[in-house]
Amino acid sequence: MPSPWPPSVCRSSKLASGFVQNTLPAIVLVLLIKEVPLGVQMLKTSILQIAPELEEAGGTSGARFSMIFRRITLPLIAPMFGSVFILSFVAAFRDISATILLVGPNTKTMAVMMIELAEEGRFEATAVVGVVLSFVVLALTLAMNWLRGRVEIRG
Amino acid sequence: MTDNRPPMLEVRDLHKTYESRRTPRPAVDGVSFTVRAGEFFTLLGPSGCGKTTTLRCVAGLETPESGTILIDGMEVYSRDSRTQIPTNRRDISMVFQSYAVWPHMTVSGNVSFPLEAMNTPHAEARKRVMDALEVVGLADFADRPATQLSGGQQQRVAFARAIVKNAKILLLDEPLSNLDAQLREQMRTELHALHKRLGTTTLYVTHDQDEALRLSDRVALMRDGSIIELDTPRALYLSPDKEFTARFIGQGNIWDCAIRELHEGAAVVDSKIGTVIAMAGALTPKSSRLMVRPEHISLQSSRQNLSPNEYHGQIVSSAFSGRTLDYVVVVNDMELRVQSPSVEIRSAGDYVTVVLPPERCVLLLS
Ligand SMILES: Nc1ncnc2c1ncn2[C@@H]1O[C@H](COP(=O)(O)OP(=O)(O)OP(=O)(O)O)[C@@H](O)[C@H]1O
Ligand SMILES: [Mg+2]
């Protein structure tokens, strides 16, 4: 199957052509670049929301920085980590715009697969993939709400 | 009475300015005091006067610009010798105004944390945690998640966490201010009993004068980053030196006066209501204000012949509040507030004899 990239782009860098020939790392990289900024932002807000006294109380209790981080800071932001992971995963999972140019025969995302199936007129298959995709997203969203609830209780 | 106990905490000429502020005014501006072993010492003052900042400097959570802090004779901060011992190596524990109980741990998890930080053997730690929970009355709550506690219970957890490690100094930042009036009253009594029992040197921060007077051995009254007056609760209330102290702690009738005669222990002053015999102290020659607290003034039925410190007056208003009656009495065109127990009830318009006890007439620096 021919590469979906224009030849000039492929030739322009060894790195890029390497990615295109073996498209999985390219998809992973692009999705990372797309999802990480939002995730980092969300984590930053959640860390800022931890009352500084919670960590200071660790110090006045006699704990060193490493113990405070391990026993207080990390557990407090852990639920947010999970939540950010799921959110990014859901976004990546149903992404089309960034991945459609990068998929290969052996490395297809479900969202792109749906488009291809629809183009071929195989609408039953499209629907099956769509249902599966929706269920996965739904399950993950529920999981995220559950984690959020835990964050609030801890709040 | 307590003056021969050795010093446990010494703060000398402490200065701290927060850099983040646009117009830097020092939050703490030359504060010095000494807390003796076993003493309950309170920093009292209006909001923003630098109480918390002082406490946080002692804890090592804030780095001062200059000054010296010694805990049990050991320098923990000194600008001159460039000492700054980190918080976790200072022999202190602290209760924060927000309690800062860790929400992801159980009650006993919270309380055992300081012991884990000290690597206390497991069996001993268990026992000390249970003892501390016993002291604050939460022994049955050991396995409760900390999130399932009321405000008062969280406050007790914070307290247990602070006393469990037997630190030399207990730092308490307005630990009662988040509680409702009834609970606060109860916790205040418990705190008093607890200090009596454990005898831990305590540095207490509050803006509540009742709390300060009730709990403390000595009180430092602060304003704008400095200590205005430092003394026992009784001395601050009954014989303050400064007008600010008299106004901040309790209520007072305060008016101008001029000193006519000065004797050993007593002064004769002229003022708007007439000649008054007042207490005299070291600062009396410079004093220009006279203060009498409303509850120290007594009202008697009107009579012709007056002794010294007795005046003719007329009640212009009276307010009944159960235990007491609050009157406004006019003496020589000057209004005096008077508070009397409700045993005898007078009403507006009555002519009275106003009696000012000389030992409760205090001369102040304005
Ligand atoms: N982190 C900070 N950054 C900048 N300025 C601060 C900071 N913390 C306190 N200040 C300022 O320093 C001054 C003293 O604050 P501090 O918290 O010590 O007051 P306080 O006496 O504890 O008051 P309160 O009774 O309201 O708690 C205040 O004017 C405050 O605005
Ligand atoms: Mg404060």
Side-chain angles (χ1 to χ4, degrees):
Chain A
M1 173 165 278
S3 156
W5 287 84
S8 61
V9 174
C10 287
R11 258 179 269 114
S12 68
S13 101
K14 229 182 173 171
L15 190 72
S17 67
F19 273 153
V20 173
Q21 277 154 19
N22 178 14
T23 50
L24 185 61
I27 293 175
V28 171
L29 182 71
V30 162
L31 287 177
L32 269 182
I33 291 171
K34 205 174 161 221
E35 304 304 337
V36 157
L38 181 67
V40 166
Q41 216 52 44
M42 284 174 66
L43 282 181
K44 204 168 118 189
T45 351
S46 84
I47 290 174
L48 286 178
Q49 268 175 357
I50 298 180
E53 282 101 43
L54 288 177
E55 289 170 309
E56 288 172 351
T60 61
S61 295
R64 271 177 297 146
F65 175 79
S66 57
M67 184 177 176
I68 295 173
F69 186 75
R70 193 164 38 82
R71 297 281 311 276
I72 298 169
T73 316
L74 265 189
L76 285 175
I77 57 172
M80 201 58 185
F81 257 113
S83 167
V84 164
F85 172 78
I86 290 174
L87 199 71
S88 312
F89 189 86
V90 167
F93 196 70
R94 52 198 183 88
D95 181 88
I96 291 175
S97 60
T99 42
I100 192 151
L101 295 176
L102 294 174
V103 296
N106 301 320
T107 52
K108 234 176 249 168
T109 67
M110 282 178 99
V112 174
M113 187 194 278
M114 275 177 73
I115 290 194
E116 288 182 1
L117 289 173
E119 275 174 349
E120 290 166 23
R122 297 166 60 189
F123 292 110
E124 296 91 345
T126 311
V128 170
V129 177
V131 167
V132 171
L133 194 143
S134 309
F135 268 110
V136 172
V137 169
L138 182 69
L140 288 173
T141 310
L142 288 176
M144 187 178 71
N145 274 340
W146 178 75
L147 275 175
R148 278 266 172 80
R150 290 185 28 128
V151 174
E152 268 160 34
I153 290 170
R154 282 154 186 240
Chain B
M1 156 189 105
T2 59
D3 283 352
N4 45 14
R5 291 183 287 190
M8 179 57 84
L9 171 66
E10 292 172 76
V11 174
R12 294 191 200 134
D13 201 24
L14 195 71
H15 289 264
K16 168 77 190 173
T17 307
Y18 288 103
E19 276 156 26
S20 55
R21 305 179 71 192
R22 245 164 251 136
T23 50
R25 190 176 59 79
V28 173
D29 195 7
V31 163
S32 306
F33 58 91
T34 299
V35 185
R36 297 179 180 280
E39 197 176 16
F40 197 113
F41 189 97
T42 298
L43 299 173
L44 172 69
S47 183
C49 71
K51 309 178 293 286
T52 298
T53 308
T54 308
L55 199 73
R56 289 173 60 86
C57 288
V58 172
L61 297 170
E62 221 71 69
T63 308
E65 269 114 57
S66 67
T68 311
I69 301 173
L70 290 94
I71 292 177
D72 200 13
M74 193 184 80
E75 258 180 18
V76 294
Y77 170 79
S78 167
R79 162 73 190 274
D80 298 334
S81 63
R82 294 177 196 279
T83 314
Q84 164 83 357
I85 308 268
T87 300
N88 62 312
R89 289 203 282 117
R90 298 188 184 190
D91 203 347
I92 51 119
S93 51
M94 181 157 172
V95 175
F96 292 81
Q97 185 169 355
S98 59
Y99 310 146
V101 168
W102 296 306
H104 58 291
M105 298 182 191
T106 61
V107 168
S108 62
N110 266 278
V111 180
S112 69
F113 185 91
L115 299 176
E116 289 167 45
M118 298 193 305
N119 292 316
T120 311
H122 197 70
E124 190 200 330
R126 261 189 79 82
K127 186 178 173 310
R128 280 169 70 176
V129 168
M130 286 320 290
D131 287 349
L133 288 176
E134 200 80 54
V135 166
V136 299
L138 282 182
D140 296 339
F141 290 71
D143 298 323
R144 253 311 162 99
T147 41
Q148 297 176 13
L149 296 176
S150 71
Q153 289 165 339
Q154 283 187 41
Q155 200 260 355
R156 287 155 197 254
V157 173
F159 221 85
R161 185 175 70 189
I163 62 176
V164 75
K165 70 175 197 175
N166 274 331
K168 285 186 178 140
I169 301 175
L170 194 54
L171 305 172
L172 307 175
D173 191 357
E174 311 211 12
L176 307 184
S177 63
N178 281 343
L179 306 178
D180 66 54
Q182 204 179 346
L183 195 55
R184 184 157 62 220
E185 183 59 39
Q186 182 194 338
M187 291 304 297
R188 194 190 286 171
T189 313
E190 287 181 20
L191 195 58
H192 193 61
L194 198 62
H195 179 256
K196 282 263 168 309
R197 184 140 43 111
L198 302 176
T200 314
T201 311
T202 306
L203 181 57
Y204 191 85
V205 161
T206 184
H207 60 251
D208 181 334
Q209 39 139 335
D210 289 339
E211 225 167 271
L213 296 184
R214 193 88 83 74
L215 292 168
S216 324
D217 292 322
R218 284 191 302 151
V219 178
L221 181 64
M222 291 183 70
R223 181 177 61 174
D224 296 341
S226 316
I227 292 179
I228 299 291
E229 214 170 328
L230 192 168
D231 216 324
T232 60
R234 203 176 284 194
L236 282 187
Y237 191 81
L238 296 181
S239 53
D241 286 337
K242 309 241 170 73
E243 184 167 348
F244 177 74
T245 314
R247 287 194 189 281
F248 192 82
I249 302 178
Q251 297 186 329
N253 297 290
I254 301 178
W255 67 100
D256 286 328
C257 68
I259 293 167
R260 175 158 22 120
E261 289 169 43
L262 205 54
H263 303 282
E264 183 68 29
V268 179
V269 300
D270 291 319
S271 77
K272 203 170 174 193
I273 66 165
T275 304
V276 181
I277 302 172
M279 287 219 300
L283 297 166
T284 302
K286 283 182 270 175
S287 305
S288 59
R289 304 278 277 169
L290 183 62
M291 191 267 301
V292 192
R293 300 222 181 262
E295 72 274 20
H296 293 154
I297 301 177
S298 52
L299 301 181
Q300 296 172 355
S301 36
S302 181
R303 60 172 173 263
Q304 273 312 313
N305 300 328
L306 296 178
S307 311
N309 276 28
E310 293 183 353
Y311 311 87
H312 292 296
Q314 187 182 18
I315 296 175
V316 292
S317 76
S318 81
F320 178 76
S321 61
R323 272 159 42 148
T324 58
L325 277 141
D326 294 287
Y327 301 106
V328 175
V329 182
V330 169
V331 178
N332 275 356
D333 286 340
M334 196 183 86
E335 289 191 345
L336 284 177
R337 277 175 299 147
V338 179
Q339 193 176 60
S340 310
S342 49
V343 57
E344 199 171 359
I345 294 175
R346 299 170 195 281
S347 34
D350 288 1
Y351 287 95
V352 289
T353 301
V354 177
V355 183
L356 309 181
E359 69 278 11
R360 294 289 175 260
C361 295
V362 183
L363 291 167
L364 304 171
L365 303 177
S366 57

